[in-house]
Amino acid sequence: MNMIKILWVDDEIDLLKPHILFLEKKNYEVITCSSGTEAIETIDQQNFDIVFLDENMPGLTGLETLNEIKEKQDSLPVVMITKSEEEYIMEEAIGNKIADYLIKPVNPNQILLSLKKNLDHSRLVSEKTTSNYQQEFRKIAMELSMVNSYEEWVNLYQKLIYWEMQLEDIEDAGMFEILESQKTEANIQFGKFIDKNYASWFRPNSDSPTMSHTLFKDHVVPEINREQPTLLIVIDNLRYDQWKSFESVISNHYKKDKELAFYSILPTATQYARNAIFSGLMPSEMEKLFPQFWRNDTDEGGKNLYEAEFLDAQMKRLGLSHLNYEYHKITNLKSGKRLVDNFKTLKNNDLTVVVYNFVDMLSHAKTEMEVLKELASNDKAYRSLTLSWFKNSPLLEIIQKSQQMGFKLLLTTDHGTINVKNPSKVIGDKDTSLNLRYKTGRSLTYESKDVFVAKDPGAIHLPSINMSSSYIFAKGDLFFAYPNNYNHYVSYYRNTYQHGGISLEEMIIPFIVFNPK
C-alpha cells in the first residue's frame, strides 16, 4: 500500500515537530509549509492525500487558502485547525466543504482519528459491513428455513434489501455473490409459500395481508382529511429497493409518518394490480360489474384506460363522493411539466391522485434498447438509474410543490419487477397471452416445478377468457419461452426486467405516508 502523504500548513510549524514525528512513526509522510502561498505552490507541484490547514496565519488566511485549494482540487480533503471557536469561521469552513474541524491545541490522537475518519473510512466501513453481514447471513439462512407467514416474508425481504444496499458500496464481490444466492434461495421458498397460501387469502375471515384491492379502503381513505389536501402518487412498477434508493431525497422535504409493505395481487401486472387499487375490486369482480371498462389479455386496446372511472366508482361505493378529488396520469416529460406548472390549482382538492409512468417505461425500454441494457445491467445499476431520474424529474418538483403547499403525501406503486435470468419452456395456442411472467389460455403445456398454476381462475378472483382457461405464473427469476425460435428469444429477453409473476421483488411493495417538514 502507498504511504499516505499529508501537507501540514501552519505559520508556527516548528512547534508541531512532536506531532509530525508521531505521524511519521505511524508510517505517514508529512510535508510542511509555513504560509498559505507556499501551500498553494506545493499543491501545484505534488500530490497529497489530505491537508491540515491552520486557520489563523499572516498573509493568506486559512479560509482564503482553503478557497484556493478547493478551486484547484475540489476532492482533496482539508482539515481546518483553529484557535478560534467563532461561529462564522466554522460556517465559512463547512460551507467550503472541509473534511473536519479541529480546535487548538490538538493532541496526536485527534489527528490520527481525523486521518482514519477521512482516509480509512471506506476501508473500515467496508470491513465492518462485511463482518456484520457474515454474522447476519447465518441468521437469514435460519429464518429462510422457518419463515411461514406473510409478515415474516416482508421482514426477511426488507432485511435482504438492507444488506444488498449496504454491500453495494463495498469492493467485496464474494460477499455480494453470497447475498445474491440468498436472494435466489429466498425466492424459491417464497414461490412455495405463495403456491400454498395465496388462494386462502381470499377466503372470508382469513388472515390475509393488505393487497392491491384493499389498499385504498384500508390505508388511503383513513389519511384523507378535509383540513389538509392529500396527494397520492402511484409510481408504476416501483420496487421496494428503488423506493429506498430515493427515500433520502424525499426526506429533504417530507417527514415519514408510516411505512408499510403490502402485497400485489397476481398477476403482478399493471392491468390487474393497478386497476385493483383504483377499483377496490379483484379482476373477476371488475369484469362482472364493469364490463365496459375491463379488458382481458386477449382483448384489443389499452388495458388501463379507465382508472379514473374505477376510482370514481370506488369513491361512491365508500360514501366519499362528497370529497373533491382529481386523477392525473403522467406518461411523459411534457405532461409531468404541465402538472408542475398547474399544481396550484390542486390546492382545493381533498385528494389528488397522480399515476406516474416512468419506471415502467424504463423497464420496457431496457428490453428494447441496447444502451439501457448497459446502463441497467443489474439491480444496483437499476436503482442508480431510478435515483438519477427521480432527482431530475418533474415528479420531484411535484413533491416539492406539494410540500410548500402543505399537502400530505402518500406514495405507493402497483407492483415491482424482477431481472429474469432463466427460461422455462411453455406451449400454448394462438390465443395465449403474451406476458413473459404469466400466461393465460387453454391447453397450456409447461414445466410444473417452475410455475404456480391456477386451473380454476375464479378461486383467485381472476376472469376466465373461456371455459377451460387457466393461468400459470413464473416463479423466481424465470421467464416463459416458446420452443420455436427458442435460442433467439432467450438471448433477447435474458437479463431484462419483467413483471407479472411471483417473486419478492414483484409482490412485496411499499406504501408510505409523509407529512410536510
Side-chain angles (χ1 to χ4, degrees):
M1 196 173 130
N2 291 338
M3 190 183 275
I4 298 288
K5 197 166 169 185
I6 301 164
L7 177 65
W8 199 323
V9 190
D10 194 308
D11 61 316
E12 299 174 327
I13 200 74
D14 296 341
L15 303 177
L16 296 168
K17 201 78 185 145
H19 291 57
I20 290 161
L21 287 170
F22 170 80
L23 289 174
E24 285 171 347
K25 275 195 186 130
K26 295 274 183 193
N27 232 5
Y28 292 98
E29 183 185 351
V30 185
I31 307 292
T32 60
C33 290
S34 54
S35 75
T37 312
E38 191 189 343
I40 306 297
E41 286 167 9
T42 309
I43 282 169
D44 280 339
Q45 291 153 11
Q46 301 180 53
N47 286 325
F48 293 94
D49 295 291
I50 193 163
V51 178
F52 286 113
L53 178 62
D54 183 31
E55 186 276 318
N56 188 17
M57 294 187 295
L60 216 54
T61 68
L63 286 172
E64 288 165 343
T65 308
L66 173 66
N67 281 331
E68 297 243 1
I69 292 171
K70 285 293 174 186
E71 274 177 29
K72 287 176 183 294
Q73 292 191 40
D74 188 43
S75 60
L76 177 61
V78 178
V79 176
M80 191 67 113
I81 300 176
T82 175
K83 280 182 188 153
S84 165
E85 292 187 45
E86 283 193 52
E87 198 174 339
Y88 88 92
I89 293 175
M90 290 186 193
E91 284 180 357
E92 279 286 316
I94 290 163
N96 280 308
K97 301 186 200 156
I98 53 157
D100 210 347
Y101 194 94
L102 302 177
I103 307 287
K104 282 186 176 180
V106 288
N107 68 45
N109 283 325
Q110 276 177 293
I111 297 289
L112 199 57
L113 183 64
S114 191
L115 286 166
K116 292 258 178 237
K117 198 162 75 180
N118 287 295
L119 300 179
D120 280 3
H121 179 262
S122 59
R123 178 183 63 80
L124 294 169
V125 166
S126 174
E127 286 171 7
K128 186 74 179 138
T129 302
T130 302
S131 75
N132 287 349
Y133 173 62
Q134 283 168 332
Q135 289 168 8
E136 194 68 18
F137 169 79
R138 296 180 199 59
K139 275 197 220 155
I140 292 171
M142 277 177 62
E143 282 173 36
L144 254 177
S145 63
M146 290 152 55
V147 58
N148 197 29
S149 70
Y150 61 81
E151 297 100 333
E152 287 168 347
W153 273 113
V154 165
N155 292 336
L156 187 75
Y157 178 46
Q158 289 174 332
K159 205 173 278 186
L160 286 167
I161 287 173
Y162 170 79
W163 283 108
E164 185 177 5
M165 293 176 79
Q166 292 294 306
L167 290 169
E168 78 175 14
D169 294 325
I170 70 171
E171 303 298 316
D172 192 333
M175 277 295 114
F176 216 81
E177 278 168 29
I178 292 169
L179 180 84
E180 283 297 311
S181 71
Q182 273 200 323
K183 271 170 69 184
T184 304
E185 175 59 24
N187 264 327
I188 291 168
Q189 299 307 330
F190 182 67
K192 291 175 184 169
F193 172 77
I194 292 295
D195 214 328
K196 203 166 108 192
N197 295 284
Y198 185 75
S200 72
W201 291 348
F202 299 99
R203 291 181 198 135
N205 307 318
S206 69
D207 178 26
S208 56
T210 297
M211 295 173 76
S212 312
H213 63 301
T214 57
L215 179 76
F216 192 86
K217 174 170 69 78
D218 291 347
H219 295 283
V220 175
V221 170
E223 299 296 338
I224 303 171
N225 167 3
R226 300 212 76 170
E227 308 303 305
Q228 179 186 23
T230 297
L231 174 65
L232 168 63
I233 296 175
V234 182
I235 303 178
D236 189 13
N237 211 353
L238 184 78
R239 287 154 47 126
Y240 219 105
D241 60 330
Q242 288 172 301
W243 138 243
K244 284 293 171 192
S245 73
F246 62 71
E247 178 177 6
S248 61
V249 182
I250 295 186
S251 67
N252 293 326
H253 311 283
Y254 272 95
K255 196 160 74 253
K256 185 165 73 175
D257 203 20
K258 84 172 181 208
E259 176 176 338
L260 74 97
F262 72 104
Y263 279 71
S264 168
I265 62 162
L266 294 174
T268 46
T270 309
Q271 91 194 66
Y272 293 91
R274 201 162 76 207
N275 277 327
I277 291 174
F278 287 118
S279 66
L281 302 168
M282 284 296 287
S284 56
E285 282 82 53
M286 287 184 250
E287 184 194 44
K288 195 163 79 194
L289 296 171
F290 299 99
Q292 71 276 36
F293 301 147
W294 177 257
R295 296 285 179 275
N296 278 317
D297 279 86
T298 49
D299 293 339
E300 291 294 312
K303 310 283 192 272
N304 276 71
L305 301 177
Y306 299 103
E307 287 164 2
E309 288 80 356
F310 276 133
L311 175 64
D312 210 35
Q314 180 169 204
M315 294 291 273
K316 287 193 174 78
R317 199 170 65 248
L318 297 173
L320 299 172
S321 37
H322 61 287
L323 296 176
N324 292 326
Y325 56 93
E326 255 180 60
Y327 165 94
H328 298 266
K329 185 185 280 188
I330 306 299
T331 52
N332 54 42
L333 188 66
K334 207 162 152 190
S335 57
K337 287 196 175 303
R338 198 178 313 121
L339 187 61
V340 171
D341 293 341
N342 299 327
F343 200 81
K344 279 194 168 66
T345 62
L346 308 176
K347 179 77 174 153
N348 297 324
N349 292 341
D350 298 304
L351 174 67
T352 301
V353 177
V354 174
V355 169
Y356 215 101
N357 250 15
F358 175 81
V359 180
D360 189 54
M361 291 189 287
L362 180 64
S363 76
H364 290 303
K366 175 171 156 48
T367 305
E368 287 145 30
M369 288 168 66
E370 284 304 318
V371 64
L372 277 173
K373 282 186 182 175
E374 293 284 324
L375 284 172
S377 59
N378 57 29
D379 289 351
K380 177 183 174 180
Y382 195 40
R383 280 193 291 276
S384 171
L385 206 53
T386 310
L387 173 62
S388 177
W389 158 72
F390 181 73
K391 281 178 164 172
N392 299 286
S393 68
L395 179 56
L396 180 55
E397 291 182 67
I398 288 166
I399 288 169
Q400 287 165 334
K401 291 227 164 173
S402 70
Q403 182 258 334
Q404 289 155 13
M405 291 163 63
F407 278 70
K408 178 183 284 194
L409 173 63
L410 316 178
L411 185 75
T412 192
T413 183
D414 46 5
H415 55 77
T417 181
I418 187 167
N419 191 331
V420 294
K421 306 267 174 48
N422 300 299
S424 176
K425 277 192 181 158
V426 68
I427 301 168
D429 63 20
K430 64 176 181 8
D431 293 328
T432 303
S433 62
L434 300 173
N435 188 288
L436 270 68
R437 292 278 294 159
Y438 76 93
K439 298 281 178 198
T440 177
R442 287 179 298 204
S443 55
L444 293 168
T445 309
Y446 47 84
E447 300 277 350
S448 306
K449 67 177 181 4
D450 293 348
V451 303
F452 167 45
V453 189
K455 285 203 162 71
D456 170 17
I460 56 169
H461 296 261
L462 294 178
S464 297
I465 293 170
N466 53 53
M467 289 297 283
S468 54
S469 278
S470 59
Y471 283 75
I472 55 170
F473 304 95
K475 295 177 182 175
D477 61 6
L478 298 167
F479 62 100
F480 292 128
Y482 294 113
N484 45 343
N485 214 356
Y486 183 77
N487 290 339
H488 167 75
Y489 192 83
V490 166
S491 69
Y492 185 76
Y493 284 109
R494 177 177 272 136
N495 195 30
T496 62
Y497 284 90
Q498 303 294 335
H499 54 84
I502 295 172
S503 66
L504 293 157
E505 290 90 333
E506 289 160 292
M507 286 188 81
I508 298 180
I509 46 178
F511 172 80
I512 311 101
V513 178
F514 301 91
N515 274 305
K517 277 193 165 176

